[in-house]
């Protein structure tokens, strides 16, 4: 695939508006064809060892972005793009492991590792049969919780705590920070992110962002 031929690419995103046009698909809040694209895209990214970033939800309501973010999370995606600054907190809460999920993952890891030392390949615990895939998923939850916890605000930006680095998390936080800075720099930009005009109902058109260095 194209992703496999570009070793410098570490993450990729599908544009929902562009994909709808290319597929000649009606633009719906819960599009069956875009849900299929999301799943197919995620599988392709995993096969190429590239992070899949879910398509933006280009409507203004909160219920829709919550539903779409949960769909993406439940198939294994770890991040989602947005054109609406007011959706950032919703997306962040959905993709960030909770303390309860952390504790559950730690319990699964502990129980499975004890079972492995006894020569067992699986173990029943708290109504769950824990095997290697369950164990590996639990390790990923712990890793992600610790990575997100390791990044702290530093002035007008973010930085990793001493000894903690993760380029993907840094890039995600940088995008969130860009949106925040643009919002404070020009209130009209925030309006374009979070509100819809009378002609477009509750639709929020994507806004181009240019970054130079």
């Amino acid at each position: 695939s194209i992703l496999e031929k570009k070793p410098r690419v570490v993450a990729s995103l599908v544009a929902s508006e562009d994909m709808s046009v290319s597929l000649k698909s009606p633009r719906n809040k819960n599009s069956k064809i875009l849900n299929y694209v999301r799943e197919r895209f995620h599988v392709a990214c995993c096969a190429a060892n590239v992070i899949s970033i879910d398509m933006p939800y280009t409507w203004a309501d909160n219920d829709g972005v919550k539903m779409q973010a949960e769909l993406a999370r439940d198939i294994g995606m770890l991040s989602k793009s947005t054109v609406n600054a007011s959706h950032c907190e919703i997306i962040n809460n959905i993709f960030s492991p909770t303390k309860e999920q952390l504790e559950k993952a730690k319990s699964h890891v502990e129980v499975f590792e004890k079972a492995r030392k006894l020569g067992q390949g699986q173990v029943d615990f708290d109504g769950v049969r824990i095997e290697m895939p369950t164990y590996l998923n639990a390790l990923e939850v712990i890793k992600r919780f610790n990575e997100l916890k390791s990044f702290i605000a530093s002035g007008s930006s973010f930085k990793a705590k001493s000894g903690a680095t993760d380029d993907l998390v840094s890039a995600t936080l940088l995008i969130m920070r860009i949106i925040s800075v643009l919002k404070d720099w020009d209130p009209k930009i925030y309006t374009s992110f979070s509100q819809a005009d009378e002609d477009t109902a509750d639709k929020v058109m994507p806004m181009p962002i240019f970054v130079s260095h």
Side-chain angles (χ1 to χ4, degrees), residues 60-206:
D61 63 288
N62 292 337
D63 290 340
V65 72
K66 182 176 183 292
M67 176 189 68
Q68 292 293 320
E70 289 175 344
L71 280 174
R73 178 202 61 193
D74 291 346
I75 66 170
M77 285 183 159
L78 301 178
S79 56
K80 181 176 181 64
S81 59
T82 182
V83 294
N84 191 330
S86 66
H87 288 164
C88 292
E89 183 176 359
I90 296 172
I91 294 171
N92 184 57
N93 289 338
I94 289 173
F95 283 94
S96 299
T98 64
K99 289 184 178 180
E100 290 75 17
Q101 290 171 329
L102 174 68
E103 293 305 317
K104 181 178 180 181
K106 286 182 175 179
S107 296
H108 285 181
V109 168
E110 181 180 359
V111 169
F112 185 74
E113 289 181 347
K114 287 182 178 179
R116 293 283 285 181
K117 290 179 180 178
L118 297 175
Q120 301 173 6
Q122 58 186 24
V123 61
D124 292 334
F125 173 74
D126 198 23
V128 177
R129 173 153 294 186
I130 304 175
E131 299 177 297
M132 184 58 72
T134 311
Y135 170 71
L136 294 177
N137 280 333
L139 289 178
E140 285 297 320
V141 171
I142 296 170
K143 177 184 176 183
R144 184 164 175 77
F145 184 92
N146 290 334
E147 286 174 345
L148 292 173
K149 185 179 178 181
S150 295
F151 282 80
I152 56 176
S154 177
S156 61
S157 186
F158 292 87
K159 70 177 183 179
K161 292 181 180 179
S162 178
T165 58
D166 187 283
D167 290 342
L168 176 60
V169 176
S170 296
T172 303
L173 291 173
L174 179 59
I175 292 171
M176 303 291 284
R177 184 58 188 168
I178 289 172
I179 294 175
S180 177
V181 170
L182 288 173
K183 177 193 70 174
D184 295 336
W185 175 63
D186 186 349
K188 293 181 180 179
I189 293 178
Y190 178 75
T191 300
S192 69
F193 276 138
S194 62
Q195 298 181 12
D197 56 39
E198 295 179 356
D199 295 331
T200 58
D202 60 344
K203 176 183 177 182
V204 178
M205 293 299 294

Side-chain angles (χ1 to χ4, degrees), residues 34-72:
L34 289 185
N35 287 339
Y36 166 75
V37 168
R38 172 186 287 111
E39 295 171 358
R40 179 74 179 269
F41 172 70
H42 179 59
V43 170
C45 285
C46 289
N49 196 28
V50 170
I51 298 297
S52 59
I53 303 174
D54 191 34
M55 61 189 73
Y57 180 76
T58 54
W59 305 80
D61 63 288
N62 292 337
D63 290 340
V65 72
K66 182 176 183 292
M67 176 189 68
Q68 292 293 320
E70 289 175 344
L71 280 174

